[in-house]
């Protein structure tokens, strides 16, 4: 089976980190987010993927090679101008024969049971099935009310706060029959959430949804990206990228240097990062080559590639662009 990974958005909410890379390539526990998606797919026996790219498309090259090295078939489509979430799927129609396929929002980190979802889809003889997950504040998501058998009753993208009919939201994981692609106009921007799904509901098509209580996170904001890393460190999200998960766990990539007398708790240290004597780093992600100098303090922060926090400086709750220098 094939999975289409929708990965061409600008990642604006994750700026400045996404000025230089798409969010899909940001590391979770030192492994590019996209590779965690590959992990999930392969665990469920899906080893053909099509990456639907647009913004910074060329930066996916290494991950395409990585996917092929691990035995997956990886194809790439490109939208010169982003076509929207449904337009992106339409653009990949050439790769889909007459087979049922998966589609994913490429920024979703989850370990949900894809085979159980597929069984549900087949039992209902659905034309499309949407995975649902519960959240505290549905207003940031697509809200999907269903009836007793799981038939979708409506699709309300980002409703005003307190107006959502349910806290079950679109988890950004879909199973579709190829016929769905025939409903999407070609070569124009078209949204799955604001056009395709509401139209399917309107027409009375066999659109179903099924819930999961598995781990699920959309990594699309700094707070959620940081949380996804913390969840990998504690083991709330299970991944073999973390050898010994638990409260305060630390992962270190190659070429990391940590001086004696540092305090490190719940930290991802990217390749070539350096933490100097007496520094305190907690609940943070350091991208490649970031440096925390002597006695500096970094809490709840994401440090872009090559960032330098100078000696004695304290930062908290920051998301810093690549090559930022924070002085005293
Ligand atoms: N190829 C392509 N082209 N990809 C796109 C485009 C496009 O024009 N626009 C967005 N994407 C990609 C993004 O890069 C991301 O991987 C995915 O599509 C979803 O876009 P987001 O911008 O992250 O959407 P969202 O998080 O606000 O909302 C979506 O996800 C929620 C779950 O995380 C919606 O699908 C909601 O309904 C859903 O609840
Ligand atoms: Mg998102």
């Amino acid at each position: 089976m094939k999975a289409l990974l929708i990965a061409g958005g600008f990642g604006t909410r994750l700026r400045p980190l996404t000025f230089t890379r798409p969010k899909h390539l940001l590391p979770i526990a030192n492994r590019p987010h996209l590779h965690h998606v590959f992990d999930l797919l392969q665990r469920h026996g899906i080893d053909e993927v099509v990456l639907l790219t647009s913004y910074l498309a060329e930066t996916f090259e290494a991950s395409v090679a990585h996917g092929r090295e691990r035995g997956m078939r990886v194809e790439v489509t490109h939208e010169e101008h982003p076509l929207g979430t449904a337009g992106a799927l339409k653009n990949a129609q050439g790769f889909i024969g007459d087979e049922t396929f998966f589609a994913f929002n490429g920024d979703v980190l989850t370990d949900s049971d894809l085979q159980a979802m597929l069984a549900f889809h087949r039992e209902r003889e659905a034309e499309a099935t949407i995975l649902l997950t519960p959240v505290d504040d549905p207003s940031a998501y697509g809200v999907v009310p269903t009836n007793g058998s799981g038939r979708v009753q409506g699709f309300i993208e980002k409703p005003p706060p307190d107006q959502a009919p349910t806290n079950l939201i679109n988890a950004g994981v879909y199973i579709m029959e190829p016929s769905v692609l025939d409903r999407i106009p070609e070569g124009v921007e078209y949204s799955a959430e604001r056009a395709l799904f509401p139209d399917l509901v309107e027409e009375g098509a066999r659109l179903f949804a099924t819930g999961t209580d598995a781990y699920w996170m959309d990594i699309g904001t700094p707070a959620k990206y940081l949380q996804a890393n913390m969840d990998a460190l504690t083991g709330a999200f299970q991944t073999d990228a973390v050898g010994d998960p638990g409260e305060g766990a630390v992962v270190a990539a190659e070429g990391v240097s940590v001086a004696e007398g540092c305090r490190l708790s719940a930290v991802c240290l990217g390749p070539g990062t350096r933490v100097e004597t007496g520094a305190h780093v907690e609940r943070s992600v350091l991208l490649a080559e970031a440096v925390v100098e002597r006695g500096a303090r970094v809490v709840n922060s994401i440090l872009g590639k090559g960032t330098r926090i100078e000696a004695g400086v304290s930062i908290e709750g920051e998301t810093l662009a690549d090559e930022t220098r924070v002085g005293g």
Side-chain angles (χ1 to χ4, degrees):
M1 243 178 124
K2 290 196 177 70
L4 308 189
L5 307 183
I6 313 171
F10 294 110
T12 48
R13 289 163 290 185
L14 265 171
R15 286 178 184 163
L17 299 172
T18 45
F19 282 129
T20 44
R21 65 194 59 84
K23 58 182 164 182
H24 318 86
L25 296 180
L26 280 168
I28 311 280
N30 286 339
R31 179 178 293 175
H33 167 72
L34 184 61
H35 299 190
H36 290 282
V37 180
F38 289 170
D39 292 343
L40 172 76
L41 293 171
Q42 277 194 313
R43 274 205 305 278
H44 289 277
I46 300 165
D47 49 20
E48 291 185 45
V49 304
V50 188
L51 272 180
L52 316 184
T53 70
S54 184
Y55 177 64
L56 297 178
E58 65 288 351
T59 59
F60 285 98
E61 225 170 85
S63 288
V64 171
H66 164 85
R68 288 175 181 158
E69 274 160 29
R70 59 193 281 171
M72 303 180 88
R73 218 173 118 186
V74 186
E75 307 286 355
V76 182
T77 62
H78 181 248
E79 301 147 50
E80 196 168 340
H81 303 288
L83 288 168
T85 44
L89 298 176
K90 180 72 176 180
N91 196 43
Q93 191 167 18
F95 289 104
I96 300 295
D98 52 6
E99 236 187 87
T100 311
F101 63 93
F102 274 93
F104 282 74
N105 282 348
D107 61 343
V108 159
L109 184 70
T110 183
D111 57 11
S112 66
D113 186 342
L114 303 181
Q115 289 302 336
M117 184 183 174
L118 184 59
F120 172 94
H121 176 84
R122 295 215 158 116
E123 267 163 32
R124 299 294 190 282
E125 297 184 344
E127 184 171 359
T129 297
I130 299 173
L131 187 69
L132 304 179
T133 187
V135 293
D136 291 335
D137 176 15
S139 68
Y141 301 98
V143 178
V144 186
T146 55
N147 73 9
S149 69
R151 193 138 188 171
V152 173
Q153 309 287 286
F155 194 108
I156 313 138
E157 182 66 11
K158 305 201 172 85
D162 303 323
Q163 285 186 30
T166 164
N167 74 331
L168 288 176
I169 60 104
N170 167 25
V173 179
Y174 316 116
I175 300 175
M176 295 177 175
E177 295 304 314
S179 58
V180 173
L181 299 177
D182 295 330
R183 299 171 178 271
I184 305 169
E186 194 158 355
V188 296
E189 199 186 324
Y190 206 69
S191 162
E193 299 83 353
R194 296 183 192 278
L196 177 66
F197 292 134
D199 283 358
L200 287 169
V201 174
E202 185 83 1
E203 287 170 28
R206 293 189 69 77
L207 178 62
F208 285 82
T210 179
T212 178
D213 53 10
Y215 180 86
W216 182 88
M217 181 74 70
D218 170 326
I219 66 159
T221 66
K224 291 192 289 174
Y225 169 66
L226 186 57
Q227 188 61 48
N229 277 277
M230 297 303 113
D231 292 340
L233 291 177
T234 61
F237 172 72
Q238 285 181 21
T239 168
D240 61 9
V242 182
D244 189 15
E247 289 302 324
V250 173
V251 290
E254 67 279 14
V256 166
S257 125
V258 177
E260 288 198 8
C262 293
R263 255 171 75 200
L264 293 179
S265 175
V267 181
C268 299
L269 298 168
T273 52
R274 188 166 89 236
V275 182
E276 295 183 356
T277 309
H280 171 194
V281 186
E282 185 178 333
R283 264 197 123 254
S284 293
V285 174
L286 277 59
L287 300 194
E289 283 130 45
V291 177
V292 181
E293 291 186 353
R294 278 168 297 118
R297 177 177 166 274
V298 173
V299 177
N300 271 327
S301 294
I302 307 161
L303 308 188
K305 181 167 186 279
T307 297
R308 179 175 287 264
I309 310 300
E310 291 184 358
V313 169
S314 175
I315 65 161
E316 188 159 345
E318 301 279 353
T319 301
L320 301 179
D322 294 354
E323 312 301 337
T324 304
R325 200 177 178 110
V326 184

